[in-house]
Amino acid sequence: MSVWMRVCPLEEIPRLGSRVVQTGNGDIAVFRNGTDEVFALRDQCPHKGGPLSQGIVHGCRVACPLHGMVIELESGSAVAPDEGRVRTFPAKVEN
């Protein structure tokens, strides 16, 4: 059984941006893309640990602000030729 956490109204997440949720197990970045889809990832790039929440969102990807590693928002996987993965979390918009 999944336990959902209310984060905020969709409008409080900037389009093509993110909002950080602090948890006892590390920060989670909640992203909103240009078509109002939401995604949640651990806020730590697999390359050097950069804050993905400060990266540039384009389509369904985010580029790490430190070295430009591109991460797929849905899967958490790095885009080739880079390698690595960041933990993803289920996200949804209600009402």
Side-chain angles (χ1 to χ4, degrees), residues 16-18 29 31-33 41-73 76-79 82 86:
L16 301 179
S18 68
F31 296 92
R32 176 182 177 192
N33 70 7
L41 303 173
R42 180 167 175 84
D43 192 19
Q44 187 175 24
C45 178
H47 176 229
K48 295 271 187 176
L52 292 174
S53 60
Q54 295 177 24
I56 297 171
V57 176
H58 48 97
C60 291
R61 296 176 171 176
V62 62
C64 177
L66 294 184
H67 298 98
M69 177 182 260
V70 178
I71 304 293
E72 295 281 356
L73 292 172
S77 296
V79 175
D82 291 320
V86 64

Short mmCIF file of all heavy atoms in Angstrom, two decimals, residues 16-18 29 31-33 41-73 76-79 82 86:
data_model
loop_
_atom_site.label_atom_id
_atom_site.label_comp_id
_atom_site.label_asym_id
_atom_site.label_seq_id
_atom_site.Cartn_x
_atom_site.Cartn_y
_atom_site.Cartn_z
N LEU A 16 8.27 24.02 -15.84
CA LEU A 16 9.67 23.78 -16.20
C LEU A 16 10.60 24.03 -15.02
O LEU A 16 11.74 24.46 -15.17
CB LEU A 16 10.11 24.62 -17.41
CG LEU A 16 9.32 24.41 -18.69
CD1 LEU A 16 9.82 25.31 -19.80
CD2 LEU A 16 9.38 22.95 -19.13
N GLY A 17 10.08 23.73 -13.83
CA GLY A 17 10.86 23.93 -12.62
C GLY A 17 10.56 22.83 -11.61
O GLY A 17 10.04 21.78 -11.95
N SER A 18 10.90 23.13 -10.35
CA SER A 18 10.72 22.11 -9.32
C SER A 18 10.47 22.74 -7.96
O SER A 18 10.58 23.96 -7.78
CB SER A 18 11.97 21.23 -9.23
OG SER A 18 13.05 21.98 -8.74
N ALA A 29 13.05 16.10 -5.13
CA ALA A 29 12.70 17.18 -6.04
C ALA A 29 11.44 16.77 -6.81
O ALA A 29 11.40 15.70 -7.40
CB ALA A 29 13.83 17.47 -7.02
N PHE A 31 9.21 17.79 -9.88
CA PHE A 31 9.33 18.57 -11.12
C PHE A 31 7.98 18.70 -11.82
O PHE A 31 7.16 17.80 -11.76
CB PHE A 31 10.30 17.89 -12.09
CG PHE A 31 11.71 17.81 -11.58
CD1 PHE A 31 12.15 16.71 -10.87
CD2 PHE A 31 12.59 18.85 -11.81
CE1 PHE A 31 13.44 16.64 -10.39
CE2 PHE A 31 13.89 18.80 -11.35
CZ PHE A 31 14.32 17.68 -10.63
N ARG A 32 7.82 19.82 -12.52
CA ARG A 32 6.64 20.05 -13.38
C ARG A 32 7.18 20.41 -14.76
O ARG A 32 7.97 21.34 -14.90
CB ARG A 32 5.82 21.19 -12.81
CG ARG A 32 4.62 21.58 -13.66
CD ARG A 32 3.91 22.76 -13.02
NE ARG A 32 2.81 23.24 -13.80
CZ ARG A 32 2.18 24.39 -13.57
NH1 ARG A 32 2.55 25.16 -12.57
NH2 ARG A 32 1.19 24.76 -14.33
N ASN A 33 6.75 19.67 -15.76
CA ASN A 33 7.22 19.99 -17.11
C ASN A 33 6.25 20.94 -17.81
O ASN A 33 5.28 21.42 -17.22
CB ASN A 33 7.51 18.72 -17.92
CG ASN A 33 6.29 17.94 -18.32
OD1 ASN A 33 5.15 18.37 -18.12
ND2 ASN A 33 6.51 16.77 -18.89
N LEU A 41 11.99 12.88 -7.98
CA LEU A 41 13.30 12.22 -7.97
C LEU A 41 14.06 12.61 -6.71
O LEU A 41 13.86 13.71 -6.18
CB LEU A 41 14.17 12.67 -9.15
CG LEU A 41 13.68 12.50 -10.56
CD1 LEU A 41 14.64 13.16 -11.53
CD2 LEU A 41 13.57 11.02 -10.89
N ARG A 42 14.95 11.75 -6.29
CA ARG A 42 15.88 12.14 -5.22
C ARG A 42 16.65 13.34 -5.75
O ARG A 42 17.10 13.35 -6.89
CB ARG A 42 16.82 10.99 -4.88
CG ARG A 42 17.79 11.34 -3.78
CD ARG A 42 18.47 10.07 -3.28
NE ARG A 42 19.48 10.38 -2.31
CZ ARG A 42 19.27 10.58 -1.02
NH1 ARG A 42 18.05 10.48 -0.55
NH2 ARG A 42 20.26 10.86 -0.20
N ASP A 43 16.81 14.34 -4.93
CA ASP A 43 17.43 15.60 -5.37
C ASP A 43 18.95 15.52 -5.33
O ASP A 43 19.63 16.30 -4.68
CB ASP A 43 16.94 16.75 -4.49
CG ASP A 43 17.29 18.11 -5.05
OD1 ASP A 43 17.59 18.21 -6.26
OD2 ASP A 43 17.29 19.09 -4.28
N GLN A 44 19.48 14.52 -6.05
CA GLN A 44 20.93 14.32 -6.04
C GLN A 44 21.37 13.64 -7.35
O GLN A 44 20.99 12.50 -7.61
CB GLN A 44 21.32 13.45 -4.85
CG GLN A 44 22.79 13.31 -4.64
CD GLN A 44 23.09 12.56 -3.36
OE1 GLN A 44 22.27 11.78 -2.86
NE2 GLN A 44 24.26 12.78 -2.82
N CYS A 45 22.15 14.35 -8.13
CA CYS A 45 22.65 13.79 -9.39
C CYS A 45 23.56 12.60 -9.09
O CYS A 45 24.36 12.65 -8.15
CB CYS A 45 23.43 14.88 -10.13
SG CYS A 45 24.16 14.30 -11.68
N PRO A 46 23.47 11.53 -9.88
CA PRO A 46 24.32 10.36 -9.64
C PRO A 46 25.79 10.61 -9.98
O PRO A 46 26.65 9.85 -9.57
CB PRO A 46 23.72 9.28 -10.55
CG PRO A 46 23.01 10.02 -11.61
CD PRO A 46 22.53 11.30 -10.98
N HIS A 47 26.10 11.68 -10.68
CA HIS A 47 27.47 11.97 -11.08
C HIS A 47 28.28 12.54 -9.94
O HIS A 47 29.22 11.94 -9.46
CB HIS A 47 27.47 12.92 -12.29
CG HIS A 47 28.82 13.35 -12.74
ND1 HIS A 47 29.13 14.66 -12.96
CD2 HIS A 47 29.95 12.66 -12.99
CE1 HIS A 47 30.39 14.77 -13.35
NE2 HIS A 47 30.91 13.56 -13.37
N LYS A 48 27.90 13.74 -9.46
CA LYS A 48 28.66 14.41 -8.40
C LYS A 48 27.77 14.87 -7.25
O LYS A 48 28.18 15.65 -6.42
CB LYS A 48 29.41 15.62 -8.96
CG LYS A 48 30.47 15.30 -9.96
CD LYS A 48 31.78 15.05 -9.27
CE LYS A 48 32.88 14.89 -10.32
NZ LYS A 48 34.18 14.75 -9.74
N GLY A 49 26.52 14.40 -7.24
CA GLY A 49 25.63 14.74 -6.14
C GLY A 49 25.00 16.11 -6.23
O GLY A 49 24.45 16.62 -5.25
N GLY A 50 25.05 16.74 -7.40
CA GLY A 50 24.47 18.07 -7.57
C GLY A 50 22.97 18.08 -7.34
O GLY A 50 22.29 17.07 -7.50
N PRO A 51 22.41 19.24 -6.97
CA PRO A 51 20.97 19.35 -6.72
C PRO A 51 20.17 19.42 -8.02
O PRO A 51 20.11 20.45 -8.68
CB PRO A 51 20.86 20.66 -5.94
CG PRO A 51 22.02 21.49 -6.42
CD PRO A 51 23.12 20.50 -6.74
N LEU A 52 19.54 18.33 -8.38
CA LEU A 52 18.77 18.28 -9.62
C LEU A 52 17.65 19.31 -9.62
O LEU A 52 17.25 19.81 -10.68
CB LEU A 52 18.21 16.88 -9.86
CG LEU A 52 19.25 15.81 -10.16
CD1 LEU A 52 18.59 14.44 -10.23
CD2 LEU A 52 19.99 16.12 -11.45
N SER A 53 17.15 19.66 -8.44
CA SER A 53 16.07 20.64 -8.34
C SER A 53 16.47 22.01 -8.90
O SER A 53 15.63 22.81 -9.25
CB SER A 53 15.63 20.81 -6.89
OG SER A 53 16.72 21.25 -6.09
N GLN A 54 17.76 22.27 -9.01
CA GLN A 54 18.24 23.54 -9.55
C GLN A 54 18.60 23.43 -11.04
O GLN A 54 19.11 24.38 -11.63
CB GLN A 54 19.45 24.01 -8.75
CG GLN A 54 19.10 24.34 -7.32
CD GLN A 54 20.32 24.74 -6.50
OE1 GLN A 54 21.32 25.20 -7.04
NE2 GLN A 54 20.23 24.58 -5.20
N GLY A 55 18.33 22.27 -11.63
CA GLY A 55 18.65 22.05 -13.03
C GLY A 55 17.61 22.61 -13.98
O GLY A 55 16.57 23.13 -13.56
N ILE A 56 17.90 22.49 -15.26
CA ILE A 56 17.00 22.99 -16.31
C ILE A 56 16.13 21.84 -16.79
O ILE A 56 16.62 20.80 -17.22
CB ILE A 56 17.81 23.57 -17.48
CG1 ILE A 56 18.61 24.78 -16.98
CG2 ILE A 56 16.90 23.96 -18.63
CD1 ILE A 56 19.62 25.31 -17.99
N VAL A 57 14.80 22.04 -16.71
CA VAL A 57 13.84 21.04 -17.16
C VAL A 57 13.51 21.30 -18.63
O VAL A 57 13.23 22.44 -19.01
CB VAL A 57 12.55 21.10 -16.32
CG1 VAL A 57 11.51 20.13 -16.85
CG2 VAL A 57 12.85 20.81 -14.85
N HIS A 58 13.59 20.26 -19.44
CA HIS A 58 13.21 20.35 -20.85
C HIS A 58 12.55 19.06 -21.24
O HIS A 58 13.12 17.98 -21.09
CB HIS A 58 14.44 20.66 -21.74
CG HIS A 58 15.63 19.80 -21.45
ND1 HIS A 58 15.92 18.67 -22.17
CD2 HIS A 58 16.58 19.90 -20.49
CE1 HIS A 58 17.02 18.11 -21.69
NE2 HIS A 58 17.44 18.83 -20.66
N GLY A 59 11.29 19.18 -21.66
CA GLY A 59 10.51 17.97 -21.97
C GLY A 59 10.33 17.15 -20.72
O GLY A 59 9.83 17.63 -19.71
N CYS A 60 10.76 15.89 -20.78
CA CYS A 60 10.67 14.99 -19.63
C CYS A 60 12.06 14.66 -19.10
O CYS A 60 12.35 13.55 -18.67
CB CYS A 60 9.93 13.71 -20.01
SG CYS A 60 8.17 13.99 -20.31
N ARG A 61 12.94 15.67 -19.15
CA ARG A 61 14.32 15.51 -18.68
C ARG A 61 14.74 16.72 -17.87
O ARG A 61 14.16 17.79 -17.99
CB ARG A 61 15.27 15.38 -19.88
CG ARG A 61 15.03 14.14 -20.72
CD ARG A 61 15.93 14.12 -21.92
NE ARG A 61 15.83 12.82 -22.60
CZ ARG A 61 16.45 12.55 -23.73
NH1 ARG A 61 17.22 13.45 -24.32
NH2 ARG A 61 16.32 11.37 -24.28
N VAL A 62 15.77 16.52 -17.06
CA VAL A 62 16.38 17.63 -16.31
C VAL A 62 17.89 17.52 -16.48
O VAL A 62 18.45 16.43 -16.48
CB VAL A 62 15.98 17.61 -14.81
CG1 VAL A 62 16.45 16.35 -14.10
CG2 VAL A 62 16.48 18.85 -14.10
N ALA A 63 18.54 18.66 -16.65
CA ALA A 63 20.00 18.72 -16.77
C ALA A 63 20.57 19.18 -15.44
O ALA A 63 20.15 20.21 -14.90
CB ALA A 63 20.41 19.67 -17.89
N CYS A 64 21.50 18.43 -14.90
CA CYS A 64 22.14 18.78 -13.63
C CYS A 64 22.84 20.13 -13.76
O CYS A 64 23.53 20.37 -14.76
CB CYS A 64 23.14 17.70 -13.23
SG CYS A 64 24.05 18.09 -11.72
N PRO A 65 22.69 21.01 -12.77
CA PRO A 65 23.30 22.33 -12.86
C PRO A 65 24.82 22.31 -12.72
O PRO A 65 25.48 23.28 -13.08
CB PRO A 65 22.65 23.10 -11.72
CG PRO A 65 22.31 22.06 -10.71
CD PRO A 65 21.92 20.85 -11.53
N LEU A 66 25.40 21.23 -12.21
CA LEU A 66 26.86 21.21 -12.01
C LEU A 66 27.64 20.86 -13.27
O LEU A 66 28.59 21.54 -13.62
CB LEU A 66 27.23 20.23 -10.88
CG LEU A 66 26.75 20.58 -9.49
CD1 LEU A 66 27.29 19.56 -8.48
CD2 LEU A 66 27.19 21.97 -9.09
N HIS A 67 27.26 19.77 -13.92
CA HIS A 67 28.04 19.31 -15.07
C HIS A 67 27.20 18.96 -16.28
O HIS A 67 27.69 18.38 -17.24
CB HIS A 67 28.89 18.10 -14.67
CG HIS A 67 29.87 18.41 -13.60
ND1 HIS A 67 29.63 18.13 -12.28
CD2 HIS A 67 31.08 19.02 -13.64
CE1 HIS A 67 30.65 18.54 -11.55
NE2 HIS A 67 31.54 19.09 -12.35
N GLY A 68 25.89 19.24 -16.23
CA GLY A 68 25.05 19.05 -17.40
C GLY A 68 24.58 17.63 -17.66
O GLY A 68 23.99 17.37 -18.71
N MET A 69 24.81 16.70 -16.72
CA MET A 69 24.30 15.34 -16.93
C MET A 69 22.78 15.42 -17.07
O MET A 69 22.11 16.09 -16.29
CB MET A 69 24.66 14.44 -15.76
CG MET A 69 24.11 13.03 -15.88
SD MET A 69 24.50 11.98 -14.46
CE MET A 69 25.87 11.06 -15.15
N VAL A 70 22.24 14.74 -18.07
CA VAL A 70 20.80 14.78 -18.33
C VAL A 70 20.16 13.51 -17.79
O VAL A 70 20.61 12.40 -18.06
CB VAL A 70 20.51 14.94 -19.84
CG1 VAL A 70 19.02 14.93 -20.12
CG2 VAL A 70 21.15 16.23 -20.36
N ILE A 71 19.08 13.72 -17.02
CA ILE A 71 18.36 12.62 -16.37
C ILE A 71 16.92 12.57 -16.89
O ILE A 71 16.25 13.60 -16.99
CB ILE A 71 18.33 12.82 -14.84
CG1 ILE A 71 19.73 12.98 -14.26
CG2 ILE A 71 17.54 11.71 -14.15
CD1 ILE A 71 20.59 11.75 -14.34
N GLU A 72 16.46 11.37 -17.23
CA GLU A 72 15.06 11.15 -17.61
C GLU A 72 14.20 11.26 -16.35
O GLU A 72 14.44 10.54 -15.38
CB GLU A 72 14.87 9.77 -18.23
CG GLU A 72 15.58 9.55 -19.54
CD GLU A 72 14.87 10.17 -20.73
OE1 GLU A 72 13.76 10.71 -20.56
OE2 GLU A 72 15.43 10.10 -21.82
N LEU A 73 13.21 12.15 -16.36
CA LEU A 73 12.39 12.36 -15.17
C LEU A 73 11.53 11.14 -14.83
O LEU A 73 11.29 10.85 -13.66
CB LEU A 73 11.49 13.59 -15.35
CG LEU A 73 12.23 14.92 -15.38
CD1 LEU A 73 11.27 16.05 -15.77
CD2 LEU A 73 12.89 15.21 -14.04
N GLY A 76 14.49 8.11 -14.08
CA GLY A 76 15.65 8.44 -13.26
C GLY A 76 16.97 8.05 -13.89
O GLY A 76 18.03 8.22 -13.29
N SER A 77 16.94 7.55 -15.12
CA SER A 77 18.16 7.10 -15.80
C SER A 77 18.87 8.25 -16.49
O SER A 77 18.23 9.14 -17.06
CB SER A 77 17.82 6.04 -16.85
OG SER A 77 17.29 4.90 -16.23
N ALA A 78 20.19 8.18 -16.48
CA ALA A 78 20.99 9.15 -17.22
C ALA A 78 20.84 8.88 -18.71
O ALA A 78 20.67 7.73 -19.14
CB ALA A 78 22.45 9.04 -16.81
N VAL A 79 20.89 9.94 -19.49
CA VAL A 79 20.81 9.84 -20.95
C VAL A 79 22.21 9.55 -21.48
O VAL A 79 23.18 10.21 -21.08
CB VAL A 79 20.23 11.13 -21.55
CG1 VAL A 79 20.24 11.09 -23.06
CG2 VAL A 79 18.81 11.37 -21.03
N ASP A 82 26.13 9.31 -20.89
CA ASP A 82 26.31 9.23 -19.44
C ASP A 82 25.65 7.98 -18.90
O ASP A 82 24.75 7.41 -19.52
CB ASP A 82 25.72 10.47 -18.76
CG ASP A 82 26.51 11.73 -19.05
OD1 ASP A 82 27.75 11.64 -19.08
OD2 ASP A 82 25.89 12.78 -19.26
N VAL A 86 19.10 7.79 -10.72
CA VAL A 86 18.68 8.42 -9.48
C VAL A 86 17.33 7.81 -9.09
O VAL A 86 16.55 7.41 -9.96
CB VAL A 86 18.61 9.96 -9.63
CG1 VAL A 86 17.58 10.37 -10.64
CG2 VAL A 86 18.37 10.63 -8.31
#
